[in-house]
Amino acid sequence: MAGFALFLITVLIWGSTWIAIEGQAGPVAPQVSVAYRFLLAGAVLLAWCVLRRRPHGYCWRQHGWIALQGLCLFCLNYIPLYWASHWLTSGLVAVGFSSVVIFSFVFSAIAFRRPIEPRVLLGGGLGIAGLAVIFQPELAADGVAGTTLLGLGLTVVAALLAALGTVLGSRNQRAGLPIMQTNGFGMVYGGLTCVLIAVASGDRWIVDASALYLGSLAYLVLFGSVIGFWGYLTTVGRLGPERAAFIPVLFPCVALAISSLVEGFTWTPSAIAGLALVLTGNALALVRPQRLAAQTRRAGATG
């Protein structure tokens, strides 16, 4: 599958998970729900690896790197994100989490000793500006006092950890660790860490038997975790962690489109303008100059 096609599929899947995450709200503590999600997803991935006879024996050092990736991508970033959703609207959470792009730039530059391309940085700025325009009404209404400030801080922490996990995923792929096995073990490590956090917090281990909770959990396990993270980390390997980080910039727009159909979200002029900025920023960052020139030449030849 081509890199940009995989990018698009991952955006569509993760853009739809926000509706599913809403279905997880209720009597089950966020860290318990995260533990359910990633322990189940990890078990599915590892079972698939065994059935397909994929090699899954690694040394303790390799497991250490996998565990670090799992902690950042499948545990420590999701817990604050779920908690932030208790105090912020989905728009505010998306705006805060979009800072993952900036953190990915910084971590990637440090880890791989390569400069940040100016057009990628400009594209990221346009994308984040577009999200700010889309969610400006919510930002103006909520302000920065009390729990709003706490929620925004939690989303930034989640973004920082997700960016670190993205760079760790890129490092593990460069070291020859296959994506499916790494994700499987990483999700188990992340899920077990969530279990420890839940136990230390004294959370009750209950299951919401409602169709909404179980259905959303199944969707998050299969699509949001198994398929979504495979697509995301494969995109990291093919396009690099900086460009893959634009997935969290774009998927809130998909969530808005779904919300307009399901929840009655209204597309105001500012929302349309913000979406245009996001799309322009992603195109600028994701299309290499050589490829853009080739596309222009082909368009001229067929025009």
Side-chain angles (χ1 to χ4, degrees):
M1 183 180 295
F4 288 114
L6 188 62
F7 174 90
L8 179 60
I9 290 173
T10 305
V11 167
L12 293 175
I13 289 176
W14 275 1
S16 64
T17 58
W18 291 96
I19 296 296
I21 288 175
E22 288 291 327
Q24 296 287 280
V28 183
Q31 47 265 36
V32 174
S33 289
V34 175
Y36 290 154
R37 173 179 175 176
F38 287 113
L39 286 176
L40 288 170
V44 169
L45 277 175
L46 292 179
W48 182 88
C49 291
V50 170
L51 291 174
R52 296 298 297 265
R53 297 182 179 179
R54 296 287 182 91
H56 51 271
Y58 304 107
C59 67
W60 65 269
R61 181 181 177 84
Q62 292 171 315
H63 273 285
W65 283 106
I66 293 171
L68 285 175
Q69 177 184 328
L71 288 176
C72 292
L73 277 184
F74 310 126
C75 173
L76 298 181
N77 63 321
Y78 269 97
I79 291 176
L81 199 62
Y82 274 45
W83 276 111
S85 298
H86 283 222
W87 299 305
L88 302 178
T89 63
S90 60
L92 286 172
V93 173
V95 170
F97 191 76
S98 66
S99 60
V100 67
V101 176
I102 299 173
F103 292 131
S104 293
F105 290 151
V106 175
F107 290 150
S108 180
I110 294 172
F112 304 124
R113 299 180 181 179
R114 60 193 185 198
I116 300 172
E117 299 175 42
R119 64 185 178 79
V120 175
L121 189 58
L122 177 59
L126 288 174
I128 292 174
L131 286 178
V133 170
I134 292 172
F135 299 116
Q136 187 275 334
E138 292 183 64
L139 286 168
D142 283 280
V144 293
T147 56
T148 297
L149 183 61
L150 174 61
L152 285 172
L154 288 172
T155 61
V156 172
V157 170
L160 189 152
L161 290 165
L164 181 57
T166 297
V167 175
L168 286 168
S170 181
R171 180 268 167 203
N172 287 341
Q173 290 186 54
R174 288 166 177 261
L177 292 173
I179 292 175
M180 299 298 280
Q181 294 93 313
T182 301
N183 279 3
F185 282 115
M187 288 178 183
V188 170
Y189 286 132
L192 290 175
T193 304
C194 288
V195 170
L196 294 177
I197 293 173
V199 170
S201 302
D203 296 313
R204 294 187 302 153
W205 287 92
I206 60 175
V207 176
D208 185 347
S210 68
L212 177 61
Y213 183 88
L214 295 179
S216 60
L217 178 62
Y219 184 84
L220 290 169
V221 168
L222 181 58
F223 290 95
S225 302
V226 174
I227 299 175
F229 274 102
W230 167 79
Y232 178 61
L233 292 174
T234 301
T235 302
V236 169
R238 294 182 181 180
L239 301 181
E242 305 97 330
R243 292 179 175 85
F246 279 84
I247 291 174
V249 172
L250 190 55
F251 69 62
C253 299
V254 177
L256 279 179
I258 295 174
S259 180
S260 66
L261 296 174
V262 178
E263 299 173 325
F265 174 81
T266 302
W267 284 98
T268 63
S270 63
I272 296 172
L275 179 59
L277 282 173
V278 170
L279 294 176
T280 301
N282 276 271
L284 182 63
L286 292 170
V287 178
R288 293 181 174 86
Q290 298 88 342
R291 182 174 298 179
L292 184 60
Q295 291 173 346
T296 303
R297 289 194 297 270
R298 286 196 298 269
T302 58

